[in-house]
Amino acid sequence: MGWNSWNSGIPLSEATVEQTIDAMVSSGMRDAGYRYVDLDAGWAATDRDADGNLRADPARFPDGIAAVARYAHDRGMRLGLYASPSYELCGIGEDNASAGHESADADTFARWGVDYLKYDWCSTDTDRAEQIRRFTAMRDALHATGRPIFYSINPNTSGDPGAGAAYDWSQIADMARNTVDLVPLWRGEFGTSSPVFGVREQLDAAVPLAARSRPGYFNDPDMLVAGISWPAFVASHPGMAQTLAAEHGPSMTDDEQRTHVSLWAMLAAPMLAGNDIRSMTAQTRDILTNADIIAVDQDPLVRSARPLAQDPRIMVKPLDGGAVAVAMVNPQSQPATIATTAAAVGLPAAACYTARDLWAHTDRTTAGDLPAGQVAPHATVLLRVDPHCG
């Protein structure tokens, strides 16, 4: 759990990163569990120093990354950085590519006090064996530093946007991106060959990968986009604006944002906020810091939900201790009545069950029926159901 700078469009600097850290503390995000502050593309200088080492942009980070890491650590936070074996596609400068520099770059990250590395492929080379070799080289280099650095990879930034799904990366990374980037739309409407997906397309890509999710490895359907408007996103990503037109909106509704966060929790996905924490609304804060939803996401079993065969609108996630989380999602543009039962979601027979509505924060007992009632378009009713009462 944490925050990543990419979707926010915030120009990275010491000041903006420290402001974000302070906002995560004051807003309650840190105490809700959001601890990583990850600087995506844009933190580095365009070239290495005289000794061939990576360096931060000296104008925007005059005190260097180590100082920013200390600022985060002093406030109970962790710092993450972005790098790539090749910047062929990402436009940052091949001088900074880490291929062939893995040991030196990993040592630099460790010396600076970095806690998380996002390693993005950024190459048109779709040779799977080469991807495996390069991602493994950085994994081994990070391990060799002796510093625990969480390792997140994205194999999909190439001519093969399905690279994340086509190979099981769990022996190489702590988490791997499932597919292409997520944008703040309910449904992308760009097609399955699009360079980006909306929430619905990301869900469809994530479900077949459920079996890979387990303690120590996380499937990554990309950062959260709650609290980000579509027009603002396009405006802050001019390179993407050349590919995507703003008329593909509108921005997600409140129900769609709650559904998005609900689904990421059901998937046991990393919860990396992507909005501007410094200016987020109280409503966005409440969506992101809902303790009941976070508990589903952070459940120690790290099980990813699966849709019921008899009604794929209903997703079920086993939880530690014998309970299940049940998400009843209306994907249609009209209200829908959705219901299930304790038996249908795999719970054992019991005299009664306790069902907690995780958005309404209400509890009720039931003999086994689990009705959601009429669910609004693109809305979700998310329940935690325990096989006992009281």
Side-chain angles (χ1 to χ4, degrees):
M1 295 178 66
W3 175 82
N4 180 285
S5 64
W6 179 251
N7 287 332
S8 71
I10 296 173
L12 290 178
S13 69
E14 272 185 50
T16 60
V17 175
E18 291 177 359
Q19 289 164 11
T20 298
I21 292 169
D22 292 342
M24 292 182 76
V25 174
S26 63
S27 67
M29 291 277 287
R30 179 198 63 184
D31 292 344
Y34 293 85
R35 295 298 178 90
Y36 288 97
V37 178
D38 301 332
L39 314 190
D40 211 288
W43 65 268
T46 56
D47 55 5
R48 293 172 178 263
D49 66 18
D51 296 321
N53 295 313
L54 288 173
R55 63 192 184 105
D57 184 291
R60 291 181 290 112
F61 292 90
D63 296 318
I65 295 300
V68 179
R70 285 194 299 272
Y71 192 92
H73 296 159
D74 288 347
R75 287 152 183 81
M77 308 286 283
R78 302 181 180 117
L79 190 79
L81 288 183
Y82 172 96
S84 172
S86 167
Y87 284 116
E88 177 186 352
L89 290 179
C90 298
I92 299 173
E94 281 295 310
D95 286 347
N96 283 336
S98 289
H101 299 272
E102 289 89 355
S103 293
D105 290 357
D107 287 344
T108 296
F109 300 144
R111 185 173 69 254
W112 286 345
V114 169
D115 306 289
Y116 179 113
L117 178 66
K118 177 181 175 181
Y119 206 48
D120 202 355
W121 182 241
C122 289
S123 173
T124 56
D125 185 351
T126 59
D127 186 317
R128 184 68 40 74
E130 180 65 8
Q131 283 192 316
I132 292 169
R133 187 171 76 84
R134 290 300 184 190
F135 284 128
T136 300
M138 181 55 80
R139 177 204 65 188
D140 293 345
L142 293 173
H143 286 175
T145 68
R147 181 176 180 81
I149 299 177
F150 188 92
Y151 186 36
S152 166
I153 66 171
N154 182 7
N156 303 285
T157 43
S158 68
D160 179 10
Y167 182 80
D168 185 353
W169 299 97
S170 62
Q171 299 305 311
I172 295 176
D174 297 309
M175 92 186 196
R177 177 78 68 77
N178 298 342
T179 185
V180 295
D181 287 2
L182 172 69
V183 294
L185 295 175
W186 170 249
R187 186 180 291 278
E189 299 177 3
F190 307 110
T192 56
S193 61
S194 165
V196 296
F197 281 171
V199 169
R200 284 294 307 172
E201 291 90 355
Q202 282 288 0
L203 175 65
D204 292 343
V207 167
L209 307 181
R212 296 182 187 174
S213 183
R214 64 178 185 272
Y217 180 76
F218 310 93
N219 294 323
D220 179 17
D222 206 3
M223 290 89 72
L224 295 170
V225 291
I228 304 172
S229 76
W230 173 242
F233 178 83
V234 173
S236 64
H237 295 77
M240 189 172 288
Q242 296 172 7
T243 304
L244 308 176
E247 62 264 22
H248 279 290
S251 301
M252 291 196 294
T253 66
D254 296 341
D255 279 337
E256 289 167 349
Q257 293 186 60
R258 280 187 285 269
T259 291
H260 162 44
V261 174
S262 297
L263 291 173
W264 264 231
M266 292 294 286
L267 294 170
M271 295 187 78
L272 295 173
N275 59 307
D276 189 338
I277 306 298
R278 303 170 304 171
S279 59
M280 70 177 168
T281 65
Q283 180 165 282
T284 296
R285 179 201 63 212
D286 291 346
I287 289 173
L288 292 174
T289 59
N290 182 322
D292 284 336
I293 303 297
I294 290 171
V296 170
D297 179 75
Q298 296 289 299
D299 185 81
L301 294 182
V302 196
R303 295 283 295 276
S304 184
R306 299 174 187 265
L308 286 183
Q310 57 269 42
D311 188 347
R313 299 174 302 173
I314 301 171
M315 299 188 69
V316 181
K317 174 178 178 171
L319 300 175
D320 189 41
V324 297
V326 181
M328 290 180 264
V329 184
N330 178 10
Q332 305 303 318
S333 58
Q334 300 295 325
T337 300
I338 306 176
T340 187
T341 66
V345 301
L347 285 169
C352 63
Y353 304 83
T354 300
R356 180 168 178 81
D357 186 316
L358 303 188
W359 287 109
H361 304 295
T362 57
D363 297 293
R364 64 184 179 87
T365 59
T366 173
D369 291 335
L370 300 172
Q374 191 173 74
V375 183
H378 304 169
T380 294
V381 173
L382 182 52
L383 305 176
R384 176 192 169 98
V385 188
D386 288 273
H388 56 76
C389 297

